[in-house]
Amino acid sequence: MEYSGISSKLRTIIFTFLILFLSCSGNADESTDPYQTALEYTILAEDSENLPVHYLNLVNAYIQQVAVVNTLRNTLIAFTLVMLIFLLIAVFINSHIKKQHDIRHLVAQNQLIRLKMENIRNRLSPHFMLNLLNQEIQTVEQENQRDKLYLFARLLRRNLEISEQNRITLTEELDFVDSYIQLELPTLGDEFHYKIEKENSLDTDQLFVPPMLIQIPVENAIKHGLRPKSGVKELTIGIKKQKDGIQITVDDNGIGFIPGSMSPTSGTGTGNKIIYQTIELLNSKNREKIEISIVNKGMPQSKGTLVTIYIPSNYSFNYE
């Protein structure tokens, strides 16, 4: 049967359903009204010569719309994949940074444990010596020797007490230093002079330092700088405000600091190691740092060593 032989009403019905099907299939633009399009092609259906051309134009238009939709869909899929890749990279980087932070924290904790264990080992000998010393003091008859042994026992006991703490007051540290110096006086002679220069506005009961922070430089000054020196021997501890903290100096007129002269066998090498490692660990927990400098003055009129320590205000002495 020829196309022209189909009645106009039948052609109208056929093309109406075709247009409705294509329009409702989801491939048409949202602005396309399928009923309006069907109405237009119902009118065209009466023209048997022009209808195939218009129908082909309609099909081509829908094909183009489908191509545009597919392009947009593919673009959206590609964009989503790219975003997922960036998200995975971000998660990986964040996980890596957190892992590195945990490793650094674990290393710091291990350092703290080693320091504490080393400190414990260093205290075992003083405990043993203190017990023996207390027994021997009772047998000493000469008063001056007994007083010296009592002072030594006091120094050992105080050392054990402060070694358990992360911080002590500056008053406690200076008292410990004074006990140590009093014990060393007989070996230094009458020409030894010792003084503390402190600003009156500073309250040493409200200022805190790590234990042994001053005692170790003082011990170094006496053992390595002043004891080998002949003539007048001077040791000065200075305490004053500096920037947003305090500055502590240990100044002597001894023979000067010789790099490498201090070792664990000399009696202060272990103390130096512990105090420097402790400060390094504390500094890692603080924005403002404790600063220590050792200067060999080396001048003809002013030989000796100058140790300068700066402690910021509001410094945290918490290891954790």
Side-chain angles (χ1 to χ4, degrees), residues 19 22-23 25-32 37 40-41 52-70:
I19 297 303
L22 290 174
S23 299
S25 63
N27 294 327
D29 188 274
E30 291 181 357
S31 63
T32 303
T37 303
E40 293 174 357
Y41 277 87
V53 175
H54 287 286
Y55 173 72
L56 291 176
N57 290 337
L58 177 64
V59 172
N60 289 332
Y62 277 105
I63 290 175
Q64 293 176 0
Q65 291 178 0
V66 170
V68 171
V69 171
N70 288 338

Side-chain angles (χ1 to χ4, degrees), residues 120-247:
I120 289 172
R121 289 194 297 270
N122 291 333
R123 293 199 305 270
L124 291 179
S125 180
H127 268 298
F128 178 70
M129 293 174 60
L130 184 59
N131 292 333
L132 291 179
L133 186 59
N134 287 330
Q135 297 176 11
E136 292 298 322
I137 289 176
Q138 307 302 323
T139 64
V140 175
E141 297 181 358
Q142 296 183 7
E143 184 177 354
N144 61 337
Q145 292 183 357
R146 189 165 56 248
D147 291 342
K148 183 177 181 180
L149 289 175
Y150 273 127
L151 183 60
F152 182 52
R154 177 190 173 192
L155 189 67
L156 285 177
R157 186 177 296 108
R158 187 61 186 141
N159 180 41
L160 294 175
E161 291 173 355
I162 66 176
S163 62
E164 295 286 348
Q165 305 175 46
N166 292 342
R167 67 174 189 174
I168 59 174
T169 66
L170 188 53
T171 301
E172 292 174 311
E173 178 70 7
L174 292 175
D175 180 66
F176 184 80
V177 170
D178 184 71
S179 297
Y180 168 74
I181 291 177
Q182 295 303 318
L183 192 62
E184 292 283 3
L185 281 179
T187 67
L188 295 171
D190 296 334
E191 293 184 296
F192 171 73
H193 303 284
Y194 157 66
K195 61 181 177 180
I196 296 177
E197 297 178 346
K198 180 184 74 68
E199 290 186 359
N200 294 329
S201 60
L202 293 176
D203 184 0
T204 56
D205 289 330
Q206 301 300 321
L207 300 174
F208 296 92
V209 296
M212 314 293 287
L213 182 67
I214 302 176
Q215 191 275 335
I216 290 175
V218 167
E219 184 178 351
N220 288 334
I222 291 176
K223 288 187 174 182
H224 303 283
L226 297 174
R227 186 174 292 160
K229 182 182 184 300
S230 59
V232 177
K233 305 172 183 180
E234 296 179 346
L235 177 64
T236 302
I237 297 176
I239 304 170
K240 65 179 181 179
K241 293 180 180 178
Q242 180 71 23
K243 295 187 288 187
D244 294 326
I246 61 168
Q247 177 180 283

